[in-house]
Amino acid sequence: MGRFSADTPKERRKLVVDAIGAHRERESPFCTLTVGHEAETDVDDSETETKNDDGETDRSESELAPPWIQFGDRTLNLDCTDEELDRLKALLGEFPAFKIEQLRSPEEAEGTNVRISAKADVNRIAQFVERTFQEVYECPKSATVWAVEV
């Protein structure tokens, strides 16, 4: 695999295809795709920061950590807030070959971990990943997606 990031819809889908191909070729347990922090420059910091009792700025872990999606063994794995989970379920209606297999909401974590069976070809998986970053996580259209683990 020669490149590890992409910032246009077409290139991001190609990156997903290449990352899954490299993952399968290497027989690794999974590959991980994430949106780079630089993509968050389109967000106004005042929308995500709050002041604590000491007047210091607080940001929740979910606001600091970029969205990520893992793929392995024909399964997608991702974390969602309640609102993102609602958007994910709506998106899944357009992808009948993708089904939620497991929802886990540990008490010590905010949000839900979602495992989705992805019984589709790699191009359809790439389309789903692209739409998930755009519609579920509401990433900017110019967001950079990184293949951080293959």
Side-chain angles (χ1 to χ4, degrees):
M1 193 168 152
R3 63 189 175 80
F4 295 94
S5 68
D7 58 10
T8 66
K10 182 179 180 179
E11 289 300 312
R12 288 190 296 255
R13 287 189 304 272
K14 183 168 177 11
L15 177 68
V16 173
V17 169
D18 291 348
I20 291 172
H23 146 73
R24 288 177 173 162
E25 192 173 296
R26 295 173 185 184
E27 299 178 359
S28 64
F30 53 83
C31 64
T32 305
L33 301 148
T34 188
V35 174
H37 286 288
E38 60 276 354
E40 296 172 10
T41 58
D42 292 350
V43 175
D44 179 4
D45 285 341
S46 64
E47 293 177 18
T48 58
E49 294 180 349
T50 58
K51 300 287 184 184
N52 63 20
D53 293 336
D54 299 325
E56 297 173 359
T57 301
D58 283 337
R59 293 181 75 177
S60 73
E61 185 178 324
S62 64
E63 291 166 336
L64 294 175
W68 54 268
I69 300 173
Q70 288 181 324
F71 175 83
D73 194 28
R74 300 178 66 119
T75 301
L76 293 162
N77 181 39
L78 53 125
D79 287 341
C80 297
T81 63
D82 291 342
E83 295 81 20
E84 291 165 343
L85 183 58
D86 290 341
R87 292 191 296 264
L88 178 64
K89 288 177 179 178
L91 179 61
L92 284 166
E94 298 179 39
F95 289 82
F98 295 72
K99 305 248 186 283
I100 293 177
E101 293 293 322
Q102 182 181 40
L103 295 172
R104 283 191 27 220
S105 298
E107 288 182 30
E108 67 277 0
E110 291 182 26
T112 303
N113 178 261
V114 184
R115 294 182 58 84
I116 300 168
S117 66
K119 296 182 170 77
D121 68 55
V122 70
N123 290 312
R124 190 70 171 151
I125 294 168
Q127 290 171 357
F128 181 79
V129 168
E130 170 67 14
R131 299 259 321 263
T132 299
F133 281 132
Q134 293 297 308
E135 296 174 28
V136 174
Y137 292 118
E138 298 180 327
C139 294
K141 298 247 184 259
S142 62
T144 300
V145 172
W146 292 84
V148 294
E149 189 167 350
V150 292

